[in-house]
Amino acid sequence: MAGTTRYLRYILFAFLGLTVLYLISNSSIRQQGLQNASDILKDPTSKWKKPGQEQNGEPEKATNGDNGQAAGDEFGTSPADASGGLAPAVDSGPRMNATFVSLARNVDVWEIARSIRQVEDRFNKRFNYDWVFLNDKPFDSQFKKVTTALVSGTTRYGQIPKEHWSYPDFIDQEKAKKTREDMKERKIIYGDSVSYRHMCRYESGFFYRHPIMQEYEWYWRVEPSIELYCNIDYDVFKFMADNDKKYSFVLSLYEYIETIPTLWDSVRKFVKDHPEHIAPDNSMEFLSDDGGTTYNNCHFWSNFEVGNLNWFRTAAYNDFFEALDHDGGFFYERWGDAPVHSVAAGLMLNKTQLHFFEDIAYYHVPFTHCPTSEKLRLEKKCHCNPKENFDWKGYSCTSRYYDMHKLDKPEGYEAQQD
């Protein structure tokens, strides 16, 4: 009995020993079979060498076999060159003397960062245009650091002169205060805001005079928290120049009448005093339903606009701004820069010098411009919902723009009406 037990014990020990030897042997084989990426690339027999890697002291030719194919192509690892049909990372064409421009505060840094990312991804990563930031206070280091990192072109930072962001001496500030109090009571949007009025006046008559902006001919205005929904694969500024366009838009709508009750009175007085500034083929049909007697309140929404700065610098535009400014409506009412720009462009430019960018899909709370054409949306890789397109809603003026130019409305517009 004892012999049998001892015999079984020997068998068990032998089995355990063989098991240990097997595990050690298998682990050694595996260890020899594994190589990290660096070892693989150094191995002269490996098929995964980098193109141009030296082998036996000689640089490797970056071809595979006799067909001139880049080394590594059989594995799908080589970068494609321009001949492979991919668009170049940066457009090689000429650049216009143009810049983006944003009026922003330091506290807007993350909202403007979002806008920059949208513009860069959809357009500017191919064109690398400059970006000018303007503020009535000095920009802080964080704002500069974040925006510089995001913009592919050169970033520039300017402070607005005090005289462009304050009450002119001809404004009765007590009267202006009573207006704000009244508008607050009537719950008119931004009705009690002083800073909003300074902003509207600045955008109407001073942004293009800033020393930094004086260096450019074209601008594209970008505000915080906007979205671009489609790829823009051509140079927008060059398009404007090549086609003699001076002002452009993507959204148009009716202005709140409570904010501009006397604006058209000032416009009519200006037209009477300066007939020499009125274009012969103007857009009065877009602005008025009765030949100019009254204003229908249509305007281009100026939070997106691409325009020619030299036009803003003309005597015609500046005479217009000075007339409106002295009438006091920026402070005694709440005139916005959108109707000011729109009326000026509508009267002083020929209608052919205006442009509607159907293909630039855009959002600024609360309105969306999304191309009506499904074909266009697919071609431009848009991600907007066409049901949210504002163009053909009852409060939009885009239909009037089409009618003025006798343009056919895009297929499917009826389904997007109210």
Side-chain angles (χ1 to χ4, degrees), residues 29 40 49 63 74 80 85 110 120 169 173 178 208 216 233 280 293 296-297 322 357 362 374 387 397 409 418:
I29 292 171
I40 291 172
K49 297 187 300 299
T63 59
E74 62 181 294
W110 300 116
E120 288 289 332
D169 55 14
Q173 294 190 40
K178 290 179 180 178
Y208 53 90
Y216 296 96
D233 53 8
T293 302
N296 62 23
N297 304 318
E322 294 296 332
F357 279 109
Y362 173 82
E374 180 182 50
K387 293 182 180 179
C397 293
K409 297 182 177 67
D418 291 334

Side-chain angles (χ1 to χ4, degrees), residues 26-212:
N26 191 54
S27 174
S28 176
I29 292 171
R30 286 190 177 188
Q31 193 69 24
Q32 292 173 5
L34 286 175
Q35 290 178 284
N36 60 36
S38 178
D39 292 335
I40 291 172
L41 291 173
K42 291 176 182 176
D43 183 356
T45 65
S46 172
K47 297 173 72 175
W48 294 91
K49 297 187 300 299
K50 297 180 291 183
Q53 177 182 327
E54 289 190 2
Q55 180 175 339
N56 301 325
E58 295 294 329
E60 178 187 326
K61 294 181 180 180
T63 59
N64 238 346
D66 299 325
N67 59 5
Q69 186 180 19
D73 275 1
E74 62 181 294
F75 306 110
T77 59
S78 293
D81 58 37
S83 63
L86 295 178
V90 178
D91 188 90
S92 60
R95 297 294 184 271
M96 306 304 295
N97 182 17
T99 185
F100 294 94
V101 60
S102 296
L103 192 62
R105 304 162 298 176
N106 290 312
V107 295
D108 297 325
V109 60
W110 300 116
E111 287 75 18
I112 199 65
R114 174 183 172 184
S115 298
I116 296 169
R117 186 72 271 162
Q118 296 275 327
V119 173
E120 288 289 332
D121 288 348
R122 290 298 196 172
F123 172 79
N124 202 42
K125 66 182 180 182
R126 288 193 61 199
F127 298 97
N128 305 157
Y129 278 108
D130 291 356
W131 205 305
V132 175
F133 298 94
L134 300 174
N135 188 357
D136 64 311
K137 302 289 193 301
F139 283 109
D140 60 29
S141 60
Q142 183 190 43
F143 188 100
K144 292 181 179 180
K145 179 170 58 177
V146 170
T147 52
T148 297
L150 290 171
V151 175
S152 58
T154 300
T155 52
R156 307 182 68 182
Y157 304 88
Q159 186 170 354
I160 297 168
K162 183 177 180 181
E163 61 269 24
H164 293 171
W165 197 275
S166 57
Y167 290 102
D169 55 14
F170 53 81
I171 291 296
D172 182 339
Q173 294 190 40
E174 187 60 33
K175 179 180 177 181
K177 180 182 178 181
K178 290 179 180 178
T179 294
R180 297 195 303 274
E181 292 171 349
D182 174 65
M183 286 191 169
K184 182 178 181 179
E185 286 290 321
R186 292 189 285 142
K187 302 187 185 320
I188 295 173
I189 187 169
Y190 302 122
D192 63 337
S193 173
V194 175
S195 62
Y196 190 82
R197 285 172 165 81
H198 288 315
M199 182 274 290
C200 290
R201 180 173 179 257
Y202 182 79
E203 293 281 24
S204 294
F206 297 106
F207 83 95
Y208 53 90
R209 306 188 201 195
H210 193 281
I212 297 177

Side-chain angles (χ1 to χ4, degrees), residues 117 268 303 382 395 415:
R117 186 72 271 162
R268 291 185 66 189
N303 47 67
C382 306
Y395 204 66

Side-chain angles (χ1 to χ4, degrees), residues 318-335:
N318 284 279
D319 286 349
F320 179 68
F321 171 73
E322 294 296 332
L324 298 188
D325 198 28
H326 279 80
D327 283 349
F330 292 108
F331 299 104
Y332 301 148
E333 296 179 8
R334 205 227 64 191
W335 294 355

